[in-house]
Amino acid sequence: MSDRHHRHEHEHHRASPLHRLAHLLTPHSHGTADRLDSALESSARGMRALWVSLAVLGVTALAQAAVVVASGSVALLGDTVHNAADALTAVPLGIAFVLGRRAATRRFTYGYGRAEDLAGIAIVLTIAASAAFAGWTALDRLLDPRPVAHVPVVAVAALVGFAGNEWVARYRIRVGRDIGSAALVADGLHARTDGFTSLAVLLGAGGSALGWRYADPVVGLAITAAIAFVLRDAAREVFRRVMDAVDPALVDRAERALTAVPGVRGVGELRLRWIGHRLRAEVAVVVDGEATVREAHRVAVEAEHALLHAVPRLTAALVHADPEPVPGAADPHLALAHHAVG
């Protein structure tokens, strides 16, 4: 059995032949220090992405807010509120990244990576609050229509909102995928949707310019609906992460890697779970029943090594070696049967 906790960042199975040769000739470690350095680097990149995007969206929201005050556009108000809320989601995510850097303790034995899940819940609640505010404001203006002033300036503010959100979306998604943070990727997709709602404000401005007084509140309601769709998708992703869901393709990849390890005669129960933006694995492999403890341990270590190479962003794997069953022999796990959860 192997329960060492370590991380390997070299995906040499996809690298060039020269890189693979250098990888073989150069000593490399799967030790705790490597894993910690990788986690710290990922968190630092995530933090940098959050604060840069916070600054960009903050400036965008302030520019739009000034136009809202001058024009009275509720469509632009809804877009501004959503942009401000999107900028503020950097706060809980930033706190989560900082907590995730802390070492595991005897109470929090897996560390603090699950703080990202709590941040995801905070993001969902923030999106819900912005949807409620934008919808209430649009309905109020629909019942009491008022003219929109400075329509050309509203149109320019909408374009500014689109540009700011699209830039932030590209940045967050790229960094999120690089470091394996589902929360950061989801926040980037959220920003991209915000950009398209900013373009919707252009429709309201165009309708107002043509004299249709209901154009602005109708577009405001459309923006509210768009926010609701984002809310649904974000809530689904957060729910899956909280429930320890993983992409089935990762499980398939892990199983293929394990079955290719010499000495592994079968793969039993395999579990993967996200802790923050890092994965952990627990697996039982079947080995020769006549193997010595040292031989079984060697197979378990090689199985763990194979997993670390095959599964992206895997931090550690706990590999349990089971002896190959003998016909007629008692199940060695029989003593645990009454502890099984029904």
Side-chain angles (χ1 to χ4, degrees):
M1 181 185 298
S2 172
D3 61 353
R4 298 170 308 157
H5 305 297
H6 51 233
R7 169 70 178 146
H8 184 52
E9 294 292 340
H10 307 295
E11 295 185 5
H12 64 258
H13 59 286
R14 294 189 300 180
S16 66
L18 182 60
H19 180 82
R20 287 198 295 269
L21 179 61
H23 180 79
L24 291 172
L25 297 178
T26 304
H28 63 284
S29 170
H30 297 282
T32 303
D34 285 348
R35 174 176 56 81
L36 183 59
D37 288 345
S38 175
L40 289 175
E41 180 182 353
S42 296
S43 295
R45 289 191 64 192
M47 288 289 292
R48 186 163 56 249
L50 287 174
W51 299 133
V52 170
S53 59
L54 172 62
V56 172
L57 288 178
V59 171
T60 300
L62 286 174
Q64 288 183 313
V67 178
V68 167
V69 173
S71 66
S73 170
V74 293
L76 186 59
L77 174 61
D79 190 42
T80 302
V81 169
H82 200 193
N83 285 336
D86 192 25
L88 291 176
T89 57
V91 176
L93 266 178
I95 294 173
F97 281 133
V98 170
L99 286 176
R101 297 180 179 185
R102 299 180 63 179
T105 65
R106 293 183 64 83
R107 181 179 296 276
F108 295 96
T109 55
Y110 282 96
Y112 295 81
R114 296 301 291 269
E116 281 191 38
D117 298 335
L118 298 179
I121 295 173
I123 290 171
V124 168
L125 294 176
T126 301
I127 297 172
S130 66
F133 179 79
W136 177 83
T137 306
L139 281 174
D140 178 67
R141 187 60 60 88
L142 191 64
L143 297 175
D144 183 19
R146 302 168 207 168
V148 175
H150 309 292
V151 173
V153 181
V154 172
V156 172
L159 289 174
V160 169
F162 170 75
N165 275 289
E166 180 59 21
W167 189 90
V168 166
R170 289 173 180 267
Y171 187 38
R172 284 181 175 176
I173 291 171
R174 183 178 71 252
V175 175
R177 286 175 177 166
D178 285 347
I179 69 173
S181 174
L184 191 55
V185 171
D187 217 20
L189 293 173
H190 174 204
R192 174 159 289 163
T193 304
D194 290 350
F196 288 115
T197 61
S198 294
L199 288 181
V201 175
L202 283 174
L203 296 177
S208 298
L210 294 175
W212 187 36
R213 61 177 183 171
Y214 291 106
D216 189 61
V218 166
V219 170
L221 289 175
I223 290 175
T224 302
I227 298 174
F229 280 113
V230 172
L231 175 63
R232 180 199 63 183
D233 294 340
R236 181 170 54 198
E237 289 301 318
V238 169
F239 174 78
R240 288 176 177 173
R241 185 56 66 92
V242 170
M243 295 298 293
D244 286 332
V246 297
D247 185 351
L250 290 177
V251 180
D252 295 338
R253 178 183 287 193
E255 287 179 339
R256 288 194 299 269
L258 289 168
T259 55
V261 174
V264 173
R265 301 190 176 185
V267 179
E269 188 175 54
L270 171 61
R271 294 180 177 179
L272 295 172
R273 72 185 305 191
W274 286 99
I275 299 180
H277 47 273
R278 295 289 170 182
L279 277 168
R280 295 182 67 93
E282 297 176 8
V283 61
V285 296
V286 179
V287 301
D288 183 2
E290 301 301 320
T292 65
V293 173
R294 291 186 182 277
E295 290 171 343
H297 181 264
R298 177 188 57 77
V299 173
V301 170
E302 292 183 2
E304 182 181 3
H305 192 191
L307 282 176
L308 291 169
H309 278 281
V311 181
R313 293 175 287 277
L314 184 67
T315 301
L318 176 66
V319 182
H320 175 78
D322 281 330
E324 192 171 25
V326 177
D331 184 353
H333 300 103
L334 192 60
L336 304 175
H338 67 284
H339 293 286
V341 178

